[in-house]
Amino acid sequence: MQMTQPRCGCGLFVYRPQRSRSGNVGLKDAAPLGQTARCQTIHYPNFRLLICIVWIWLILSAGSRPYSARPVPASSAESAPVSPSPTPSASGRSYASRVFRENLRNSLSILLLQLVVIIVTTRLVGKLFLRIGQPPVLGEIVAGIVLGPSLLGLLSPETMAFLFPASSMETLKLLSQIGVVLFMFVVGMELDVQHLRKKAYAAIMVSHASIIVPFFLGTALSLLLYSSLAPAKTSFIPFALFIGIAMSITAFPVLARILEDRRMSQTYLGSIALTCAAVDDVTAWCVLALVIAVAQSGSAASSLLTITFALCFIFVMLLVIKPQLARLFAARRDPAQRTRGLVAGVLAFVLACALLTEAIGIHALFGAFLAGVVMPSTAGLRVLLKEKLETFSAAALLPLFFAFTGLRMQISLLNDWHSWVMCAVIIVVAIAGKLGASMIMARWTGMNWRDSFSLGVLMNTRGLVELIVLNIGYDLGILSARAFAMLVLMALVTTFMTGPLLSLVRVDRGDDPVRA
């Protein structure tokens, strides 16, 4: 009887041994040929892979023959001189270095290199500032200046040109703006409107004084600064209004971080300071939207149209969108369920609001801020969104904004004593308007001198929000490069002095409980 070896589906012979009762494997114990489903079959898929590889190689070889044998036209041969390409054996390390450098200069490699350098530098400098008692965000701002022309460009221009070529600045700017949009959304979420309505008379009076007095001093100071610091095509009204806003800003997120680090968030002084800073933020962004509308519009009619659209957007967001969002999230039993879809939907909503305000003619950041304000205060919702969005933006995208600001800032433009005198005057006016007005008004409402001075010091904190406003003015052409550098220095000085002055009056670790 002739025995036939079974075949598999691909046509290859398959041996299907089975173990006998004695434990040995042999042909006589092989399973019947028809029993295929229950037998342990040994296939050889490597043969299939080998056949595929051979076929691919044959196809590539056959297809490349006519192109390699194609003659080169005489005109192209004469016009393009042929230089012998270096080989690894001929040039050695220089060849490998040249290839590596060429691959490092494409757009993606440049962006990845910038991300690595910026994130590492900002983290290191931020930790250094934390050790000396300053908020880490101040160290991250300084790290951006270190990477710019003020230090790195001064010490090693070649390194700065290699890390930040001019062709990559637009991509860096756009990514940094996305980070600031997410940051402003988180700032809007942290603003509790109901909490502001319940605050004491002192908070209302101090917040109004800390806005009106610095704004008035800033617009008055612009009479002296306009002729030497304003760009050629900028009229006086936008410049004066913008200087007034720059003097009135209080960095609500930085202030909240300082109070939390010093365990002052639950004290009466910390509560009043947070309320005043929140009111300042809302008022400053509303006035800033007005200034942007005036600066970007060519006539009074277009400015009025932009302001009308902005007011309509605000009313729709507060009176229509906010109640609808509250009902939508109230219907969900657990907002933390389906986290990915929730974060994607909220992110799309934030970007859409930013797009609308950008199209209206104010700024994308105003739309992101208002999107955070209208977010419902459902239990766990704001905490979840802050954890998901702020972590990525603060760790990866905001450092790009600090670096981009540092690349714009050129301290070397302050190259004479007159420029430094003007910078000192700006700093003194900023401190006197913000710290002085807040302190005097707090004392007038009944607070003691120690708490009044501490509240003025806290309100004088500008930090990151000030940099955002200054970059908007620089992009709109309201601020010149010299004015931008002076105002950035003012923001750094007023933020840096907060910690030492609070330590000077020994306001720390929750000295006073919250008073009703």
Side-chain angles (χ1 to χ4, degrees):
M1 182 177 179
Q2 186 177 2
M3 295 181 63
T4 59
Q5 190 73 358
R7 298 173 180 265
C8 67
C10 62
L12 299 176
F13 288 100
V14 178
Y15 172 56
R16 299 178 301 183
Q18 284 190 347
R19 190 173 298 277
S20 63
R21 295 178 180 177
S22 61
N24 298 324
V25 177
L27 289 174
K28 64 181 180 178
D29 298 316
L33 297 181
Q35 188 178 354
T36 58
R38 293 173 293 175
C39 296
Q40 296 180 351
T41 306
I42 301 178
H43 291 276
Y44 297 94
N46 292 335
F47 283 104
R48 297 182 180 181
L49 180 62
L50 179 61
I51 292 174
C52 291
I53 294 175
V54 171
W55 272 109
I56 292 174
W57 178 77
L58 291 175
I59 292 172
L60 295 178
S61 300
S64 61
R65 287 176 184 174
Y67 298 100
S68 61
R70 183 175 60 185
V72 180
S75 59
S76 62
E78 293 176 358
S79 60
V82 179
S83 59
S85 59
T87 59
S89 59
S91 56
R93 294 181 179 179
S94 61
Y95 175 79
S97 176
R98 185 178 65 84
V99 172
F100 179 76
R101 188 179 180 88
E102 289 178 355
N103 292 334
L104 199 61
R105 300 318 293 163
N106 64 64
S107 300
L108 180 59
S109 298
I110 292 174
L111 179 60
L112 294 176
L113 179 62
Q114 290 173 346
L115 285 171
V116 172
V117 172
I118 292 172
I119 292 175
V120 172
T121 305
T122 52
R123 291 293 296 172
L124 291 177
V125 181
K127 288 185 177 180
L128 177 62
F129 270 65
L130 182 61
R131 289 190 175 186
I132 63 176
Q134 294 292 336
V137 66
L138 185 60
E140 294 174 355
I141 296 172
V142 174
I145 298 175
V146 167
L147 293 175
S150 299
L151 186 61
L152 181 60
L154 186 64
L155 299 178
S156 179
E158 297 81 7
T159 304
M160 180 182 167
F162 179 80
L163 289 175
F164 303 102
S167 58
S168 67
M169 296 306 296
E170 190 63 27
T171 303
L172 193 64
K173 176 184 176 181
L174 293 177
L175 283 178
S176 67
Q177 290 297 314
I178 296 297
V180 177
V181 164
L182 296 179
F183 171 77
M184 291 306 302
F185 170 70
V186 174
V187 172
M189 279 200 306
E190 291 179 344
L191 181 65
D192 191 350
V193 180
Q194 299 296 329
H195 182 71
L196 298 182
R197 294 174 181 174
K198 299 177 182 178
K199 273 304 162 185
Y201 170 74
I204 300 175
M205 297 301 296
V206 172
S207 61
H208 289 171
S210 64
I211 296 172
I212 297 174
V213 175
F215 190 87
F216 172 76
L217 293 178
T219 53
L221 181 62
S222 62
L223 293 171
L224 301 176
L225 303 179
Y226 178 73
S227 59
S228 57
L229 294 182
K233 297 182 180 180
T234 302
S235 60
F236 176 75
I237 293 178
F239 181 80
L241 293 177
F242 200 88
I243 296 296
I245 293 173
M247 297 294 177
S248 306
I249 288 293
T250 295
F252 177 76
V254 179
L255 177 62
R257 184 69 58 86
I258 292 174
L259 293 174
E260 183 179 353
D261 292 340
R262 290 179 170 265
R263 302 178 186 178
M264 296 172 57
S265 299
Q266 301 302 319
T267 64
Y268 176 74
L269 178 61
S271 181
I272 293 294
L274 285 175
T275 305
C276 295
V279 175
D280 277 14
D281 263 7
V282 174
T283 307
W285 282 103
C286 292
V287 178
L288 180 62
L290 174 65
V291 175
I292 294 174
V294 173
Q296 287 189 334
S297 303
S299 61
S302 56
S303 301
L304 183 60
L305 183 63
T306 302
I307 295 172
T308 303
F309 283 145
L311 292 176
C312 292
F313 176 77
I314 294 173
F315 288 143
V316 169
M317 290 289 289
L318 295 179
L319 302 180
V320 179
I321 302 298
K322 186 175 182 179
Q324 292 297 327
L325 288 177
R327 295 190 191 97
L328 176 63
F329 286 102
R332 301 184 58 159
R333 296 181 179 178
D334 187 3
Q337 293 180 352
R338 300 179 181 179
T339 304
R340 183 177 300 179
L342 174 65
V343 173
V346 171
L347 184 60
F349 173 71
V350 174
L351 297 178
C353 292
L355 174 62
L356 284 175
T357 52
E358 183 74 17
I360 287 173
I362 40 180
H363 199 277
L365 300 183
F366 185 75
F369 175 77
L370 203 57
V373 172
V374 301
M375 279 289 113
S377 56
T378 307
L381 175 63
R382 294 194 174 190
V383 176
L384 174 66
L385 294 177
K386 182 179 179 181
E387 178 185 354
K388 297 297 182 181
L389 298 179
E390 186 185 31
T391 302
F392 174 71
S393 63
L397 297 180
L398 272 184
L400 298 183
F401 174 75
F402 298 141
F404 186 73
T405 302
L407 292 172
R408 283 180 161 185
M409 181 181 177
Q410 303 179 45
I411 300 181
S412 59
L413 294 177
L414 310 182
N415 52 8
D416 54 3
W417 67 268
H418 183 261
S419 299
W420 285 106
V421 167
M422 284 195 299
C423 183
V425 170
I426 291 175
I427 295 175
V428 170
V429 171
I431 295 173
K434 200 73 174 178
L435 192 155
S438 302
M439 179 181 65
I440 294 174
M441 183 56 68
R443 176 58 181 165
W444 188 71
T445 58
M447 298 176 67
N448 58 50
W449 279 112
R450 176 173 173 263
D451 288 347
S452 300
F453 177 77
S454 302
L455 182 58
V457 170
L458 290 170
M459 295 302 296
N460 194 44
T461 304
R462 287 177 173 86
L464 176 57
V465 179
E466 178 78 8
L467 294 186
I468 295 173
V469 173
L470 296 180
N471 275 276
I472 293 175
Y474 191 85
D475 290 334
L476 295 177
I478 300 175
L479 298 178
S480 63
R482 290 179 65 208
F484 181 78
M486 293 178 184
L487 292 173
V488 169
L489 286 176
M490 179 269 292
L492 292 177
V493 171
T494 54
T495 306
F496 186 84
M497 63 190 293
T498 302
L501 289 179
L502 289 178
S503 300
L504 180 64
V505 296
R506 298 180 181 179
V507 177
D508 200 357
R509 300 186 180 278
D511 296 329
D512 300 321
V514 177
R515 293 182 295 199

